[in-house]
Amino acid sequence: MSAMRNVNWDRRTVLRAAMGMAAAGGLAACGGNTGRSSGSGDSLVQYFHAYGEAGTEQAIKRYAKAYKDANITTQWITGNNFEQKLFAALLTKNAPDVFEFHPQIQLIKSGQVADLTDIIEPVKSDFNQADITSHTVDGKIYGVRMIDDPQFFFYRPSVFEKAKIEVPQTLEELIEAADKLTTSKVKGAFLGNDITTVQNPLIWSAGADTLTADNKPAFNTDAVAEGLTQLRGLFTSGNLLLDSPTDWWDPSAFTQGLTAIQWCGMWAMPAMIEALGDDIGVFPFPKVGSAGKQSVTNGGWSMFVNAKSENLEAAKAYVKWLWIDQKKYQEDWALSYGFHIPPRTSIAQSATKLKTGLPAEGVKLFNEFGHFDNIGWTQAMIAAVNDVMANSVRKNADPKAQLATAEKKVDAELKKLFG
């Protein structure tokens, strides 16, 4: 597979929601292509962000074309603000009928996404149950998981061996490894151009969490503050790649030798293997502080139905057809372009591409250290912690004060959502 291309937005670190942004400017440039140009039935519009793996856009349009009961138009949205474009469009009469996103409770509370329990219930037991949980509110399931995307650090065992470096188990060891591996041409580590992609793993690896089980802020701890201080040290050390031509979700910085260690996702494995053969390993975000535990982000994407669509039943029928009934397309989507873990247990169990070598190692880390989406952790909360990263790691503000400010913002959001 060729290297990822044509995407210049950070796929997993979500941006601020722009619920009030006018849609017109953002959507004029989106590439719209119909799945089918003629036929009977309803017309539906689906939104996808532009995946980096070659062949993905063609695949989604191919699936849409095979559907006979409606005309499907695909908006394949490039640029670095998919969330803003999506949220803006949802406020207009040009809103998509079907769209991909992550489970977030404000979409349910505002009546934006349809209850899909009736289409998922018959196959519920064949889904990864953590995915079902992350899409469930008050016993109802909103959204169908399409792919699970574990993220971890990639490295080259031969390079570690030559430098006499063991795989880092703690954040201190990661910082030491980055120092040893930095040369005039290669930086020791790459955590993404704005570093926000590691904010959740930093919290989890410090033994904390984004929210408690009863939806209270859980990230403002001394261990998280200490982790931020350590990251600030790494940021100023000169050992971190800070201005990569491609961001963390693209493997180019690693495959082209700009960095010795890169945070990235399982989706990039085929491109990495093509470039570097089997001299690649993965390890979780290391332990932060004495009470911490290694962690892996389980990102991914889910398909939602716009509850305000004029073609609500037709939209649900299409989502059921593609993401529940068509296992061959679900398998193709998960395994033929990048590598993703199929959320359907039966497909994951038969996925031979994930059974050996690097992908098998990724699946093992996913199962052992993975943290799934928390539906209560919303766009505004993500933005509050993005600010903590920007101010304490990039600008040297006091981490404890930054965490306290973020906690207030998150608490205010939670009160709005949960009372």
Side-chain angles (χ1 to χ4, degrees):
M1 172 192 139
S2 64
M4 296 185 184
R5 59 198 171 90
N6 292 339
V7 188
N8 52 11
W9 73 288
D10 180 333
R11 289 162 37 128
R12 299 300 187 284
T13 304
V14 278
L15 305 167
R16 292 174 189 279
M19 291 301 287
M21 170 187 157
L27 293 171
C30 299
N33 283 282
T34 50
R36 297 179 67 218
S37 56
S38 63
S40 61
D42 298 284
S43 291
L44 301 172
V45 174
Q46 60 177 357
Y47 271 29
F48 279 79
H49 81 279
Y51 284 68
E53 302 93 321
T56 46
E57 182 179 4
Q58 294 77 5
I60 284 296
K61 289 174 180 172
R62 189 170 71 248
Y63 311 153
K65 196 172 181 180
Y67 187 59
K68 300 303 178 204
D69 294 338
N71 290 298
I72 314 295
T73 300
T74 300
Q75 292 277 11
W76 188 258
I77 297 174
T78 58
N80 62 356
N81 53 355
F82 173 71
E83 289 82 5
Q84 290 170 313
K85 288 176 177 177
L86 170 64
F87 285 146
L90 288 172
L91 296 174
T92 73
K93 65 180 191 302
N94 297 320
D97 303 284
V98 173
F99 58 90
E100 66 168 358
F101 200 57
H102 319 284
Q104 291 191 5
I105 199 164
Q106 82 280 9
L107 293 169
I108 296 158
K109 297 270 186 182
S110 65
Q112 188 67 70
V113 294
D115 173 8
L116 302 182
T117 311
D118 58 335
I119 67 171
I120 298 170
E121 193 67 50
V123 293
K124 184 177 163 182
S125 63
D126 189 40
F127 273 89
N128 184 317
Q129 292 306 294
D131 282 323
I132 293 292
T133 300
S134 71
H135 290 69
T136 301
V137 175
D138 297 332
K140 293 177 179 172
I141 307 167
Y142 299 84
V144 184
R145 195 62 155 188
M146 302 182 293
I147 45 175
D148 282 321
D149 282 335
Q151 297 154 39
F152 12 67
F153 283 110
F154 288 80
Y155 73 102
R156 301 186 67 177
S158 65
V159 172
F160 272 36
E161 209 175 308
K162 199 174 167 190
K164 296 184 169 55
I165 293 170
E166 297 291 320
V167 172
Q169 303 292 310
T170 65
L171 187 53
E172 288 93 338
E173 288 172 7
L174 176 68
I175 290 165
E176 284 166 23
D179 186 52
K180 279 186 188 162
L181 293 165
T182 299
T183 68
S184 59
K185 292 188 177 67
V186 182
K187 292 292 183 185
F190 181 42
L191 311 184
N193 283 329
D194 71 0
I195 314 178
T196 55
T197 188
V198 298
Q199 63 196 29
N200 279 14
L202 178 78
I203 291 166
W204 296 322
S205 286
D209 208 339
T210 51
L211 300 173
T212 61
D214 60 348
N215 294 305
K216 303 283 189 298
F219 55 85
N220 182 9
T221 70
D222 289 344
V224 173
E226 179 52 36
L228 288 164
T229 301
Q230 288 178 275
L231 271 191
R232 170 68 185 169
L234 179 59
F235 180 79
T236 56
S237 66
N239 301 328
L240 207 55
L241 180 63
L242 295 172
D243 50 0
S244 172
T246 56
D247 214 341
W248 68 276
W249 45 259
D250 185 297
S252 302
F254 182 65
T255 58
Q256 293 171 11
L258 302 180
T259 183
I261 301 169
Q262 178 175 335
W263 183 263
C264 195
M266 187 156 160
W267 59 84
M269 283 182 180
M272 289 187 183
I273 292 163
E274 186 179 302
L276 302 172
D278 59 6
D279 184 28
I280 310 167
V282 283
F283 62 91
F285 198 94
K287 192 172 132 165
V288 178
S290 56
K293 186 190 174 184
Q294 295 166 300
S295 68
V296 165
T297 306
N298 286 338
W301 292 87
S302 309
M303 193 48 61
F304 297 91
V305 172
N306 181 0
K308 297 169 184 176
S309 165
E310 289 175 9
N311 298 311
L312 179 60
E313 291 310 315
K316 281 179 65 176
Y318 171 62
V319 167
K320 178 184 183 294
W321 175 82
L322 180 51
W323 298 111
I324 303 281
D325 300 339
Q326 301 301 313
K327 280 193 167 185
K328 63 176 181 181
Y329 291 147
Q330 293 156 39
E331 184 175 26
D332 181 65
W333 186 237
L335 301 166
S336 296
Y337 310 98
F339 285 160
H340 312 263
I341 297 177
R344 296 288 288 272
T345 315
S346 56
I347 300 175
Q349 282 169 349
S350 64
T352 51
K353 288 178 180 178
L354 306 183
K355 297 286 187 214
T356 56
L358 189 65
E361 190 60 29
V363 171
K364 185 168 171 276
L365 295 182
F366 168 86
N367 289 328
E368 192 173 349
F369 299 112
H371 292 257
F372 286 73
D373 287 308
N374 183 332
I375 200 166
W377 189 246
T378 67
Q379 214 65 22
M381 300 175 201
I382 291 161
V385 180
N386 284 351
D387 289 345
V388 174
M389 296 295 281
N391 294 331
S392 60
V393 176
R394 298 181 74 89
K395 295 181 186 160
N396 204 29
D398 175 49
K400 277 302 284 178
Q402 288 297 312
L403 287 166
T405 300
E407 185 175 32
K408 280 198 191 94
K409 287 181 190 168
V410 169
D411 205 37
E413 287 299 316
L414 289 166
K415 284 192 171 72
K416 265 192 260 178
L417 291 166
F418 297 103

